[in-house]
Amino acid sequence: MPISRKDLADAGSPEALVKRILKAEPNLPVPVPIQELCVSLGIVKTADFDTEEFEGGLVTDAKRSEGTILVKRGGEPRRRFTIAHELGHFLMAHHVPDQPGGFLCKSSDLLRVQAKEGDQRQRREVEANRFAALVLMPPHLLRGAMAAFREPNLQHVLTLARDFAVGRETAARAYVQYHPERIAIVVAGNGRVQRCYRSLSFPAIVCAVGSPVPTGSLYHRSSHRPNIASDIAVCSPDLWIDVKRDLRAPALYEQIYCQQNGFSMILLCLEPVPEDSAEERKLEEGWRYRFHSGRR
Ligand SMILES: [Zn+2]
């Protein structure tokens, strides 16, 4: 690979770094050869990490003269994400480890998508995750892959995960972000809500993290065949979202994907708002805003 750290110049954010990488490597294949990229960018070694506590680590110095990535044994998609995450720490010079000599990252760090305000540690974990997702699923390649998909379907998430060699949850996050419709994917573990990913226009999900999947959900309705996405069925929208009494309840659809290990994804899809009713709603909301704020 011709790319070197010189190509990254002073790029500091995950977005700027990935932009430079894609400029230097415009014909990056899919799945992205993350190990080769690491070698070209100053990672001298990737070694197995024999620990239960941590998912990955990076041994380096403040100057980042070189780095060694440590990664827990496990499935390839998971290892690839961890390696990309640690490469992110390595390339972002403003990431300062807790202890001199390197970074140690737990599985909760690798799932973090939001940081508490003022928490620098959480912030850098979020940045490393953003870098990993962007470099493993480069936006132009992801958009190209998504162009073949029409109606929202978890089958597409499985296809993305397979083609980009990433975990299903990483693929789900990207899918929700890039899909033009109002969708969300709820990740459940053993019947409880673990994480929710929503498109920008999808309303907040009312089920708290840790709470059971609502009893009225399709999730409970039939025995789902493992590793196969279910049919898509309409559900009561108030299972998942706050339906305002004075607004017409939107139609909400669910689709379920379960694995034998208890991991499940629930796709939620809101019907598209017809053009004229979207206009009406805007008007109505405009009136309400003026009424509440006392403006005229
Ligand atoms: Zn980390």
Side-chain angles (χ1 to χ4, degrees):
M1 264 190 173
I3 190 171
S4 79
R5 260 191 290 167
K6 281 191 204 115
D7 294 309
L8 308 182
D10 51 359
S13 70
E15 289 75 14
L17 279 168
V18 172
K19 219 170 169 177
R20 295 276 168 88
I21 291 174
L22 296 177
K23 200 173 163 202
E25 293 288 344
N27 300 316
L28 212 54
V30 167
V32 171
I34 190 68
Q35 295 261 30
E36 279 178 53
L37 210 52
C38 282
V39 171
S40 303
L41 293 173
I43 300 295
V44 289
K45 195 176 162 196
T46 301
D48 284 329
F49 202 10
D50 282 314
T51 159
E52 274 311 301
E53 200 183 348
F54 300 104
E55 203 63 38
L58 168 71
V59 182
T60 190
D61 51 31
K63 279 197 201 155
R64 305 288 208 274
S65 10
E66 58 177 44
T68 295
I69 287 177
L70 304 170
V71 56
K72 194 167 127 179
R73 283 175 222 269
E76 203 44 32
R78 196 166 172 170
R79 280 174 62 89
R80 283 167 54 78
F81 191 87
T82 306
I83 291 169
H85 173 104
E86 300 304 335
L87 178 63
H89 284 317
F90 181 69
L91 296 177
M92 285 183 267
H94 64 282
H95 282 203
V96 181
D98 291 334
Q99 294 140 15
F103 297 81
L104 287 170
C105 308
K106 295 185 175 181
S107 61
S108 55
D109 295 325
L110 284 120
L111 283 167
R112 192 168 288 288
V113 287
Q114 264 182 331
K116 262 189 241 151
E117 216 182 304
D119 189 324
Q120 290 306 317
R121 187 179 189 282
Q122 287 190 2
R123 212 184 112 191
R124 71 171 200 239
E125 295 310 322
V126 171
E127 285 186 341
N129 288 335
R130 229 163 58 222
F131 172 82
L134 283 167
V135 81
L136 294 174
M137 305 185 93
H140 69 293
L141 296 173
L142 186 57
R143 260 182 237 117
M146 296 273 300
F149 305 148
R150 304 243 172 262
E151 304 281 299
N153 195 309
L154 286 175
Q155 197 54 50
H156 303 154
V157 174
L158 304 179
T159 304
L160 289 180
R162 183 198 65 202
D163 293 352
F164 286 85
V166 296
R168 289 173 181 137
E169 192 161 341
T170 305
R173 244 177 1 234
Y175 185 69
V176 162
Q177 201 184 341
Y178 282 78
H179 203 285
E181 290 189 29
R182 295 194 293 168
I183 61 170
I185 293 178
V186 175
V187 172
N190 297 318
R192 288 183 182 272
V193 173
Q194 306 270 306
R195 292 168 289 280
C196 304
Y197 305 108
R198 301 182 279 139
S199 63
L200 277 178
S201 53
F202 196 95
I205 288 166
V206 291
C207 296
V209 166
S211 64
V213 172
T215 43
S217 165
L218 177 63
Y219 178 87
H220 297 288
R221 230 183 288 164
S222 52
S223 54
H224 300 287
R225 284 193 292 163
N227 306 321
I228 294 172
S230 76
D231 289 337
I232 298 171
V234 74
C235 74
S236 170
D238 51 12
L239 290 178
W240 295 106
I241 59 172
D242 183 18
V243 180
K244 290 189 178 64
R245 264 183 244 148
D246 52 346
L247 290 178
R248 185 179 63 88
L252 184 66
Y253 297 85
E254 276 183 316
Q255 186 189 26
I256 316 293
Y257 168 85
C258 294
Q259 287 178 193
Q260 254 150 351
N261 62 4
F263 170 92
S264 309
M265 294 189 286
I266 304 167
L267 171 72
L268 305 177
C269 178
L270 271 172
E271 63 172 345
V273 184
E275 283 294 308
D276 51 341
S277 93
E279 258 323 293
E280 272 171 35
R281 192 169 292 194
K282 239 187 262 163
L283 265 174
E284 194 183 326
E285 277 166 9
W287 275 111
R288 197 178 311 138
Y289 171 68
R290 280 193 289 271
F291 177 72
H292 283 302
S293 62
R295 290 193 198 170
R296 305 190 62 122

